[in-house]
Amino acid sequence: MSIQFLGMIGHRLASEIIPASGPLFDKEYIARFARAHEDAGFDRILVGYWSDQPDGFLVTAHAAAHTSTLKFLLAHRPGFVSPTLAARKLASLDHLTDGRLAVHIISGGSDAEQRRDGDFLNKAERYARSDEFLTVLKQSLESVQPYDHQGKFYQVEQAFSAIKPLQKKLPVYFGGSSQEAIDVAARHADVFALWGEPLKGAEETVRNVRAAAARQGREINFNISFRPILGKTEKEAWERAEHIRATAEKQLNETGFAFGKAKPQSVGAQRLLAAANEGDRLDKVLWTGVAKLVQGGYNSTALVGTPEQVSDALLEYYRLGIHSVLIRGFDPLNDAVEYGRELIPLTREKVDALSAADKRSA
């Protein structure tokens, strides 16, 4: 099986080491950023969701208008748009992108973040709502006749969407490390998304999610996220990593980031922080420097080394059955270009060689 590469775009230039600049909704930057990923050979890009940032549907639509083959993964939080309306919005966007859309359902790992949009459910209730949301969403996307639904969070009568996705099936991504998340993913997800854990933790998650999906009579694929830091030599790559850490710490301090003052709520963040507390460097090239700074709050672990070393590390995750990887840099646009030149083709070459060897030995 081939390996899939996902990137991530933002609506303006900003990162842990680059202060935000330009208009908040920078149309030119969005278009240029998306084209850079397409030119670099990425398969798909993630458009994220934040409670105070521009609408991801519109960011995706604008990026799609300036690309032709690049696919999109739109993050969406249940609870703020009814699943019947969300289905019509997603199906419409799939037509607008010529069938290049997937949706990443995010239940929400922070009470404070959810409350900014008026959601006061607790974590267990949010996952229960996501479960029901996906049930209704799929009915609207797939049903050829009106349907009724009476649940705890949603009730509809004779619901129907005249527009269906251009694709036969809209791919659904889902993430989270808690048992509630795994149970929802097992019932609904096509792809389970992991943050960049050490190999041992990733292997455990793959095993648990596969078993949960099997109990539902389903199979599931996997994606994992990293922040690769490349150098012409190993020494150069690690020097670059330390420069990124120092710059990120300075910028986060200047913006008032509260280092270590609150335990992260999401299990995924707790797992990343636990890995960071084991040390800066884990496995062969996994680096937790920035993950420790942000308390594991998002996909912040890096793979550090030469393109050869980082591609070898990605191959180890591929061997676990994780055949999709999201990579984004601390210098977002320039790193995407570098990945397309140095990392993506090399990794694909190694995966092809591994697949060929497996076929010969079968």
Side-chain angles (χ1 to χ4, degrees), residues 216-254:
Q216 300 294 327
R218 304 180 69 245
E219 293 184 354
I220 195 165
N221 295 316
F222 296 89
N223 173 270
I224 194 165
S225 299
F226 292 110
R227 312 286 293 277
I229 300 171
L230 305 180
K232 293 179 181 177
T233 65
E234 183 177 1
K235 181 175 182 291
E236 179 184 297
W238 284 105
E239 287 174 349
R240 186 179 174 191
E242 290 303 331
H243 174 73
I244 287 171
R245 172 168 28 200
T247 306
E249 184 170 14
K250 180 176 182 294
Q251 181 167 299
L252 290 169
N253 273 320
E254 289 173 351

Side-chain angles (χ1 to χ4, degrees), residues 163-234:
I163 185 168
K164 307 299 185 188
L166 188 61
Q167 306 170 73
K168 272 190 173 180
K169 184 178 185 301
L170 191 74
V172 173
Y173 288 60
F174 197 90
S177 297
S178 65
Q179 190 58 52
E180 297 103 321
I182 291 173
D183 290 343
V184 175
R187 284 189 285 273
H188 299 286
D190 301 297
V191 180
F192 185 87
L194 301 82
W195 284 346
E197 296 188 31
L199 285 163
K200 183 179 178 181
E203 182 178 21
E204 175 190 34
T205 298
V206 167
R207 183 171 59 250
N208 291 342
V209 174
R210 273 183 175 158
R215 289 193 291 271
Q216 300 294 327
R218 304 180 69 245
E219 293 184 354
I220 195 165
N221 295 316
F222 296 89
N223 173 270
I224 194 165
S225 299
F226 292 110
R227 312 286 293 277
I229 300 171
L230 305 180
K232 293 179 181 177
T233 65
E234 183 177 1

Side-chain angles (χ1 to χ4, degrees), residues 25 70 88 110 118 122 158 168 209 232 317 323:
F25 193 94
L70 185 67
R88 301 196 302 276
S110 164
N122 62 37
Q158 295 297 286
K168 272 190 173 180
V209 174
K232 293 179 181 177
Y317 288 95
H323 296 159

Side-chain angles (χ1 to χ4, degrees), residues 24-40:
L24 182 61
F25 193 94
D26 191 334
K27 293 185 292 184
E28 192 280 330
Y29 179 72
I30 293 168
R32 186 157 53 98
F33 204 3
R35 285 195 299 266
H37 280 86
E38 184 166 80
D39 293 343

Side-chain angles (χ1 to χ4, degrees), residues 339-360:
Y339 298 156
R341 184 179 63 246
E342 304 289 347
L343 183 61
I344 291 175
L346 178 61
T347 308
R348 284 195 167 125
E349 182 181 320
K350 291 182 178 182
V351 166
D352 288 345
L354 179 64
S355 299
D358 289 342
K359 286 180 181 177
R360 288 195 297 269

Side-chain angles (χ1 to χ4, degrees), residues 81-141:
V81 176
S82 73
T84 52
L85 175 56
R88 301 196 302 276
K89 286 165 64 70
L90 290 166
S92 299
L93 187 57
D94 193 47
H95 279 263
L96 190 64
T97 63
D98 299 318
R100 292 184 278 153
L101 185 66
V103 63
H104 185 17
I105 299 297
I106 301 179
S107 299
S110 164
D111 290 346
E113 173 79 2
Q114 294 295 119
R115 288 170 182 173
R116 292 187 189 114
D117 271 332
D119 179 22
F120 286 81
L121 297 185
N122 62 37
K123 177 187 165 188
E125 291 170 328
R126 290 197 294 268
Y127 276 111
R129 179 178 61 194
S130 292
D131 194 355
E132 190 176 336
F133 177 92
L134 281 163
T135 297
V136 178
L137 181 79
K138 286 185 173 182
Q139 283 184 282
S140 283
L141 290 174

